[in-house]
Amino acid sequence: MKKKHFFTVAVTVIMLFSLATNHAFAWSYSNYNYGSYVPKSGTGTATTYYDSRNFLQTRIDFKFDSYNVSSIISYNKGNGTGGSCPGYNAYVTLDQTAIPDGSSLKISAWEVLTNLPNPKVDIEDNNLWGADDESEVVALGTVVADKAYYMTTKWLDNRGGKSTDSGRIQAQFAMSKKGILDYNNCTQSSTVQHTFTYGDNQGKVASIQPQITKSLKAVASTTVPVSNTTSTTNSQSDSQVITEYKAIEPTEDGITKYKSKQKEITKKLKSNKKINDIAVTVTFAEPLSFDEVKTITEKYNVNIEELEARSIDSNGDRITHAIKGLNKSLSQDGSNFIGYTSLQGYVSSENIFGLESEEKIFLVDASGDNNVTELEKDNFAVPLTWYLEDLNPEKHLKKKTFNLK
C-alpha cells in the first residue's frame, strides 16, 4: 500500500510563540580526513517554538572552501574517487537524521529550507518508526567557495515527557549519485559532523555536542552504499532511470524534449490499465498560491506527499522550502515569498491527463512510478523548477500578488 498524505486547509498566517531555546555548537577539523567534500568547519543551531503545534528546529550553517569545491566538481563530472562514486556524476549531500533513545520516534521531519543550488529534497521514514526520521538535501547545482550555505529542518514535536521520548539528530555530509531514487549515497563522511541531542520534553533541547568519532549512524539506511542495498535487477533499473534524468539539457530545447518523453510515459500508463496511485512530480508553469494549488489538486484528487515553494532572501539567493504533506500554507505576507513551485504525490490514471492539460501545470513526470521503473518502491522525479527559473527568471522568480483568503 502506498503512503498517502491528504491535502487539507488551515490558517494562512504563521504566528510564532515561545522561542524557548536557542543552542549553538560548532565543528572544526584541521584537515580533510573526513571527506574531501566535507566543510572543515560549521555550526549547528537548535530552537524550539510553537506555531499552532510544537516544533523543534535544527539548522546547519557551513561554507565550502576552494579545496572542497574542487573535489565536489570532480565528483560532479564523474571523477570522484570515494566509495562506489567513480564513473558516476555524484553531488554533495547533507542529511539530518533523527535517532530515538526509545523504541518509537517522537519527532517527525516536517519542512526543509535550504539555499543550496537546485536541491533535491527528501523527507521520509527510512527506518519504519511511523514518523519521518530523515531529511536530506542533494545539491544538483554547482556549489561555490566561501558562500554561506545552510540547511534547516523543522521537526513536528510530539514529545510527551516520557524517559524514552528523547534522542539525537545527526547531521552528516555525503556524495550521492545523481538520480531520482532513494538510497543513492555512493560515499559518506567517516564521521557525523554534528549531533543535536534533545530531551524528553517539548520546548527543550538537552544539549548539543559535536560528533567527531566513528559514525554512529548505522541505523539510518542511507549510510549503506547502493551496491550493498539493491539487487542486480534493481540496480539495472536504477541505472536506466538515472541515465534518463542525466540526459536533460537545461535549455529550452532540452526541456521540451524531456517533456515530450514524459508525456509518452503518461500515455502508456493511461492505456495499460486502471491505476489508482501513479507517483508523479508536478512542476508548475509558474509560482502558484496556496489556493491555486488546492484548487488543482482537489479537482484531480491528487494526494500530496511533498510540496515545494520558493522565496528569495536578502542576499538574492533562492530558498527552497520542501513541506512534507501539507496541512497549512506558508506565510505569504513576507516580501521574499514567491510561491509554490512543484509537488510530489499520487494521481489516478483516470485523472493524470486532466492534470497534465491544466494551463498552470508545466509537466507531470511519472518516470519514478514503479509501473515505469519496475522497482518495488515508487520514487519521484526531480522537478524542473530550477531549470525553468534559470531560463526565464522574470516569469518564475518575480514576486506575485496573490488574492489571499
Side-chain angles (χ1 to χ4, degrees):
M1 177 68 74
K2 297 178 182 178
K3 188 176 179 182
K4 307 289 186 184
H5 289 270
F6 291 91
F7 193 108
T8 57
V9 186
V11 297
T12 60
V13 179
I14 291 180
M15 301 182 69
L16 301 180
F17 302 95
S18 301
L19 288 171
T21 56
N22 194 331
H23 296 280
F25 207 103
W27 78 85
S28 180
Y29 305 145
S30 60
N31 53 47
Y32 301 96
N33 289 348
Y34 300 121
S36 59
Y37 47 86
V38 177
K40 290 173 66 177
S41 63
T43 303
T45 307
T47 303
T48 59
Y49 67 93
Y50 182 81
D51 172 21
S52 72
R53 282 183 281 186
N54 286 289
F55 285 90
L56 170 64
Q57 178 173 291
T58 53
R59 172 170 168 147
I60 300 293
D61 289 273
F62 55 94
K63 293 181 180 180
F64 298 111
D65 61 22
S66 58
Y67 183 85
N68 293 142
V69 171
S70 177
S71 175
I72 291 168
I73 290 176
S74 181
Y75 273 98
N76 293 166
K77 295 179 179 179
N79 300 320
T81 58
S84 61
C85 297
Y88 292 91
N89 301 92
Y91 290 76
V92 68
T93 301
L94 174 59
D95 66 60
Q96 296 190 43
T97 299
I99 302 172
D101 290 337
S103 59
S104 63
L105 184 63
K106 295 299 181 181
I107 64 172
S108 185
W110 178 261
E111 181 181 351
V112 170
L113 294 87
T114 185
N115 66 339
L116 282 165
N118 195 10
K120 176 184 183 295
V121 181
D122 284 320
I123 303 173
E124 56 192 352
D125 180 0
N126 265 334
N127 293 292
L128 304 180
W129 295 114
D132 292 312
D133 61 320
E134 183 179 70
S135 60
E136 179 183 77
V137 174
V138 180
L140 299 180
T142 303
V143 297
V144 297
D146 301 320
K147 179 177 178 60
Y149 289 113
Y150 72 89
M151 174 196 179
T152 296
T153 301
K154 297 181 179 180
W155 307 83
L156 187 60
D157 189 353
N158 293 313
R159 289 176 289 169
K162 295 182 180 179
S163 60
T164 56
D165 287 357
S166 56
R168 65 188 186 275
I169 299 166
Q170 296 182 165
Q172 192 168 11
F173 282 88
M175 297 299 298
S176 297
K177 294 177 182 178
K178 184 178 181 181
I180 66 170
L181 297 181
D182 296 328
Y183 314 112
N184 55 357
N185 286 8
C186 53
T187 190
Q188 189 174 39
S189 175
S190 59
T191 185
V192 172
Q193 271 58 68
H194 189 78
T195 300
F196 302 95
T197 304
Y198 60 88
D200 301 322
N201 299 299
Q202 289 178 342
K204 294 183 179 180
V205 179
S207 64
I208 302 178
Q209 300 176 357
Q211 178 68 39
I212 57 174
T213 57
K214 189 69 176 177
S215 172
L216 299 176
K217 201 185 161 196
V219 67
S221 57
T222 52
T223 64
V224 183
V226 175
S227 58
N228 293 336
T229 59
T230 55
S231 67
T232 302
T233 301
N234 282 7
S235 295
Q236 290 171 346
S237 297
D238 179 15
S239 178
Q240 292 169 3
V241 176
I242 291 173
T243 299
E244 178 73 15
Y245 182 76
K246 283 167 58 179
I248 302 176
E249 296 179 7
T251 62
E252 288 188 13
D253 184 56
I255 296 298
T256 299
K257 288 180 179 178
Y258 182 77
K259 184 176 181 180
S260 296
K261 288 182 179 180
Q262 302 319 308
K263 286 196 171 186
E264 289 301 315
I265 289 176
T266 57
K267 286 181 182 178
K268 290 180 181 178
L269 290 173
K270 171 68 175 179
S271 61
N272 287 346
K273 59 182 179 179
K274 181 178 179 180
I275 306 173
N276 292 323
D277 46 8
I278 300 173
V280 294
T281 294
V282 180
T283 302
F284 303 148
E286 60 184 37
L288 303 182
S289 70
F290 180 81
D291 286 340
E292 287 173 319
V293 175
K294 175 179 176 292
T295 297
I296 292 173
T297 54
E298 285 187 344
K299 181 177 180 180
Y300 299 104
N301 196 27
V302 180
N303 296 322
I304 293 180
E305 274 284 314
E306 186 176 302
L307 189 141
E308 289 192 1
R310 173 74 72 235
S311 63
I312 305 294
D313 69 9
S314 58
N315 297 318
D317 288 340
R318 283 177 271 185
I319 307 302
T320 300
H321 306 251
I323 308 100
K324 187 67 176 181
L326 183 65
N327 61 8
K328 70 175 298 179
S329 74
L330 294 170
S331 175
Q332 297 178 4
D333 56 358
S335 59
N336 64 345
F337 185 81
I338 301 298
Y340 294 91
T341 56
S342 67
L343 67 82
Q344 298 174 0
Y346 293 100
V347 65
S348 71
S349 54
E350 292 180 335
N351 285 324
I352 195 167
F353 280 169
L355 182 64
E356 197 173 49
S357 66
E358 281 287 327
E359 182 181 354
K360 295 176 181 178
I361 300 299
F362 180 79
L363 175 64
V364 177
D365 190 338
S367 61
D369 185 80
N370 60 8
N371 291 284
V372 178
T373 64
E374 298 183 351
L375 297 175
E376 180 179 354
K377 181 183 178 183
D378 284 324
N379 297 280
F380 294 100
V382 180
L384 300 183
T385 303
W386 199 272
Y387 294 155
L388 296 180
E389 291 171 343
D390 283 347
L391 290 171
N392 192 344
E394 179 67 20
K395 178 179 180 180
H396 293 278
L397 292 173
K398 185 177 181 180
K399 180 176 173 58
K400 297 169 63 178
T401 302
F402 296 120
N403 182 23
L404 301 182
K405 296 180 180 179

